[in-house]
Amino acid sequence: MTDGIVLRGLRRMRSLLAEVRTPRSLDARQVARLRGLLQESASGQGGEASARQRAVRLAEIYLRLDDEGRAGFLRIIASEFGPDPQKVAQAHADYQAALGSDAQWGAESRLRNAIRSSRMRILTQFNTLPEGVKFLVDLRADLLRYIDADAILKALDRELEQQLAAWFDVGFLELQRISWSSPAALLEKLIRYEAVHEIRSWNDLKNRLDSDRRCYAFFHPRMPMEPLIFVEVALIDHLADNVQKLLDEHAPVFDVERANTAIFYSISNTQVGLRGVSFGNFLLKRVVDDLKRDYPRLISFATLSPLPSLRSWAEKTPEAWEKAFGPSDFERIRRHLPPDLPPPSKAEDLIGLLGDAAWAADERLARALEHGLTRLAARYLMTATRGGRPYDPVTRFHLGNGARIERLNYLADTSARGYQQSYGMMVNYLYDPEMIEANVEAFSRGGEIAASAPIRRTARD
């Protein structure tokens, strides 16, 4: 009978996860009921069946709440189920008194238990439910949205992040190739989660999964239809320099037996709730190994990557324009400028000229801007920092994983997003299997940036 009640509760939870319901806030009666359920969960009252029933009821309450109600739900857990300060103080005093004696190790264990809060005992009960892990990942995504407005939630976030990092250790993850024959529900999620280059249609997706393309994703056994991170790969015979050409649905399919280069052109993290849990570096290493095994002719592994923060950085850094654009650049631009536009003479003029993408449609003007914009991007990659690390988040990721900055590509992304992020500029990061470990060590130890000679030369000019 009890098992049947639990199973019905699990089915209710599944339907709540799938349906959109009218959200509501917590009223006084619900707060009292919630506290009772949380206290029972914290104390471990009852057996396994009782714990599951409580987890289902708590999930039902949470999923029906609006943002205000969910923030209140999490605040109760964060503020009322932390460690007991008096027990921690007493356990610490006992530990200090026992140092150097045989009783030290028992005192250490008691101190560790005193510091451990009931918050995780409550939340980890959801792990026993079929959708429980996904529920907790989504719950943390909510938590991250609320945390700036309520500092008391930070302790709960730190504990939950640590727990998720343990559950999503790369040793537990499964690498799978996604193809056109994968379940439709999974393919729909690729479309929804793609974060770099929007998948515009099913034909677009089919093109990205054709015989000259590969898509790989990490999955957790408890979330078998939810890719955690995925990478899209093109198998070609050159270092790609234009993403529109790479994604052209009408381009002929390349003969993969002739491919010598694998281009990673999109890497998308899918679960906001796993922020701070890193497995992107392991994904690329695993994919490189798989590709080398399947295609021994491959000798180059590189990306065609965006520079998502270049334009925002440049518009806040006028002095960077003065260093990148010399007198000859300004003169070349003035010669090719349409007569209805005022000639630029300083950084602010250039920023205004590049305010929309109209300049790129003028072939002569675009050519006149190429030298200065390429130098601006090279200096951005080599010198712009935030907190002692490269300013650009994609650069931080790839340098931290052992790549080197290989080449800048002018007008490589002519989409609206490409102009908005980086004036259409893209960059190739090269993964040389023989240099990856040395590059990782040099970057992590001294912040040394691995870059090709042309990139270094352009940044110095």
Side-chain angles (χ1 to χ4, degrees), residues 105-151:
W105 314 117
E108 178 186 322
S109 177
R110 289 190 293 275
L111 175 59
R112 191 179 295 113
N113 288 333
I115 293 172
R116 188 177 297 122
S117 77
S118 300
R119 301 178 189 119
M120 284 302 99
R121 184 166 191 172
I122 292 169
L123 292 180
T124 53
Q125 291 188 22
F126 293 106
N127 194 24
T128 63
L129 306 180
E131 290 87 4
V133 174
K134 172 62 173 168
F135 172 80
L136 287 173
V137 170
D138 291 344
L139 181 145
R140 183 166 183 252
D142 288 341
L143 186 58
L144 290 169
R145 290 191 294 113
Y146 309 145
I147 205 166
D148 287 340
D150 194 350

Side-chain angles (χ1 to χ4, degrees), residues 120-292:
M120 284 302 99
R121 184 166 191 172
I122 292 169
L123 292 180
T124 53
Q125 291 188 22
F126 293 106
N127 194 24
T128 63
L129 306 180
E131 290 87 4
V133 174
K134 172 62 173 168
F135 172 80
L136 287 173
V137 170
D138 291 344
L139 181 145
R140 183 166 183 252
D142 288 341
L143 186 58
L144 290 169
R145 290 191 294 113
Y146 309 145
I147 205 166
D148 287 340
D150 194 350
I152 203 167
L153 297 176
K154 290 182 179 179
L156 176 61
D157 178 59
R158 283 193 293 269
E159 286 183 294
L160 185 52
E161 180 183 343
Q162 290 171 0
Q163 189 65 62
L164 291 172
W167 288 344
F168 285 85
D169 181 273
V170 69
F172 299 137
L173 305 184
E174 300 169 356
L175 181 70
Q176 296 180 23
R177 180 184 166 193
I178 301 175
S179 70
W180 186 245
S181 60
S182 297
L186 179 55
L187 298 181
E188 287 177 346
K189 286 176 181 175
L190 285 191
I191 295 174
R192 186 191 324 151
Y193 289 142
E194 168 60 49
V196 184
H197 303 293
E198 178 188 5
I199 299 175
R200 300 176 302 277
S201 66
W202 283 99
N203 283 338
D204 185 4
L205 178 61
K206 187 174 183 181
N207 179 57
R208 300 187 194 205
L209 299 175
D210 216 327
S211 60
D212 59 344
R213 304 299 165 96
R214 294 293 181 270
C215 180
Y216 296 90
F218 266 149
F219 291 84
H220 191 278
R222 297 296 303 276
M223 294 169 57
M225 289 296 290
E226 284 285 342
L228 307 178
I229 183 173
F230 63 91
V231 58
E232 298 168 64
V233 188
L235 303 177
I236 53 178
D237 61 355
H238 62 281
L239 195 61
D241 62 0
N242 185 285
V243 75
Q244 272 73 41
K245 292 179 182 177
L246 200 66
L247 297 178
D248 183 1
E249 297 175 30
H250 306 292
V253 176
F254 187 75
D255 179 6
V256 293
E257 297 304 319
R258 294 172 42 225
N260 60 20
T261 303
I263 297 291
F264 307 110
Y265 62 89
S266 180
I267 302 173
S268 297
N269 284 292
T270 68
Q271 307 295 320
V272 175
L274 292 178
R275 192 175 80 187
V277 181
S278 177
F279 28 66
N281 52 341
F282 297 102
L283 173 68
L284 289 183
K285 290 174 184 175
R286 289 280 304 277
V287 169
V288 167
D289 288 343
D290 274 28
L291 290 172
K292 285 169 66 176

